[in-house]
Amino acid sequence: MLYQITDGTVSAGGVTILSHINFEIRGTEKIAVAGKNGAGKTTLLRLLAGELTLDRDDKRNGPGIVTSRKLTVGMMRQQPFDDPSETVEEELLKGCPKRAGTGQNGSAVFSEWDRERFEYEREYDILFTGFGFSKEDKKKKVSSFSGGEQTKIALIRLLLEKPDILLLDEPTNYLDENHIEWLKRYLIEYENAFILISHDIPFLNSVVNLIYHVENAELTRYVG
């Protein structure tokens, strides 16, 4: 079991949003969270991202949330860029592997670093052009792009991070049909687990293998 919530409740302003829920991620499952607007889908993602905590419950056995190991969890923030005056390349290369150190004679150790950096920059190029940007756009400042384009750049950065659990809240909102198809193919091959909220039913059906439905503050798990 990669991640597990047992008998968890989340409240805000005295209102219960999620009540005594059970949720789990096994291995690299691809999960959709479905339900009406306001049902608590985004609240669940924020809980998984660590932005929210479970209510205290003296009757609950155990801590409520258990993980198999220390996990990385990635989710897009409301304000994705701290400094929009930086170029796209400066922003996206922040996650690029850094040189590990020097050899016994003081020379730089290149082999592993070079390989990881090459793979990172290769995927960076694939993602960047796959979402409709030109290679010349890398040199432009983030602030020069529209809000929708900045959202796509933030999504690229998140995909490059390859967290153990990837959280995507309506990722297709700013994508046209061709780029939705491109993202679908990318997620089908994604190597780690992800949790996805989307109202695009055909898109969901093509990339997930189980669904958690949120209704009346409760979660129901459906395989398939």
Side-chain angles (χ1 to χ4, degrees):
M1 195 70 61
L2 187 69
Y3 182 102
Q4 186 174 51
I5 301 172
T6 304
D7 194 20
T9 297
V10 180
S11 302
V15 177
T16 299
I17 302 173
L18 299 172
S19 177
H20 301 282
I21 62 168
N22 295 311
F23 175 89
E24 60 188 28
I25 305 171
R26 303 171 185 172
T28 59
E29 287 180 326
K30 319 303 183 187
I31 301 170
V33 180
K36 295 179 179 178
N37 289 337
K41 302 186 297 296
T42 299
T43 295
L44 176 61
L45 261 61
R46 293 183 64 202
L47 176 64
L48 295 169
E51 295 180 2
L52 300 175
T53 58
L54 294 177
D55 294 358
R56 179 175 177 178
D57 188 345
D58 294 333
K59 296 181 180 179
R60 182 174 59 228
N61 293 321
I65 297 178
V66 175
T67 61
S68 61
R69 54 183 171 81
K70 187 175 181 179
L71 300 173
T72 56
V73 181
M75 181 177 177
M76 285 175 58
R77 297 171 292 163
Q78 289 292 331
Q79 298 294 330
F81 300 106
D82 295 327
D83 186 2
S85 67
E86 291 186 324
T87 66
V88 172
E89 188 160 60
E90 288 171 334
E91 189 63 48
L92 294 184
L93 286 180
K94 287 179 180 178
C96 190
K98 304 296 190 296
R99 186 171 296 164
T102 58
Q104 293 181 350
N105 61 355
S107 61
V109 178
F110 290 109
S111 56
E112 184 66 17
W113 175 79
D114 280 347
R115 183 184 64 80
E116 291 180 357
R117 187 177 180 91
F118 173 80
E119 290 178 356
Y120 183 95
E121 293 188 358
R122 175 177 166 273
E123 183 148 17
Y124 159 29
D125 281 337
I126 292 171
L127 283 165
F128 197 62
T129 55
F131 278 105
F133 295 101
S134 69
K135 291 187 176 182
E136 291 72 24
D137 287 335
K138 295 178 183 179
K139 304 300 182 183
K140 296 179 181 178
K141 293 182 178 181
V142 172
S143 58
S144 68
F145 293 92
S146 68
E149 289 171 329
Q150 288 188 34
T151 299
K152 286 200 289 185
I153 294 168
L155 176 58
I156 292 167
R157 183 181 62 185
L158 183 58
L159 294 174
L160 282 169
E161 291 173 2
K162 293 190 180 298
D164 296 313
I165 302 174
L166 175 66
L167 307 176
L168 298 173
D169 193 347
E170 300 288 356
T172 63
N173 275 2
Y174 294 95
L175 304 180
D176 61 25
E177 186 175 340
N178 289 335
H179 297 139
I180 290 173
E181 183 65 25
W182 195 94
L183 178 61
K184 180 179 75 174
R185 293 195 302 270
Y186 185 87
L187 290 178
I188 288 172
E189 299 296 327
Y190 189 69
E191 60 198 52
N192 297 329
F194 65 75
I195 295 94
L196 173 66
I197 296 173
S198 177
H199 288 93
D200 187 335
I201 302 303
F203 177 75
L204 286 181
N205 286 338
S206 65
V207 299
V208 304
N209 50 32
L210 67 93
I211 294 173
Y212 277 92
H213 186 250
V214 189
E215 187 173 27
N216 298 323
E218 298 178 351
L219 277 184
T220 305
R221 177 184 170 107
Y222 298 97
V223 176

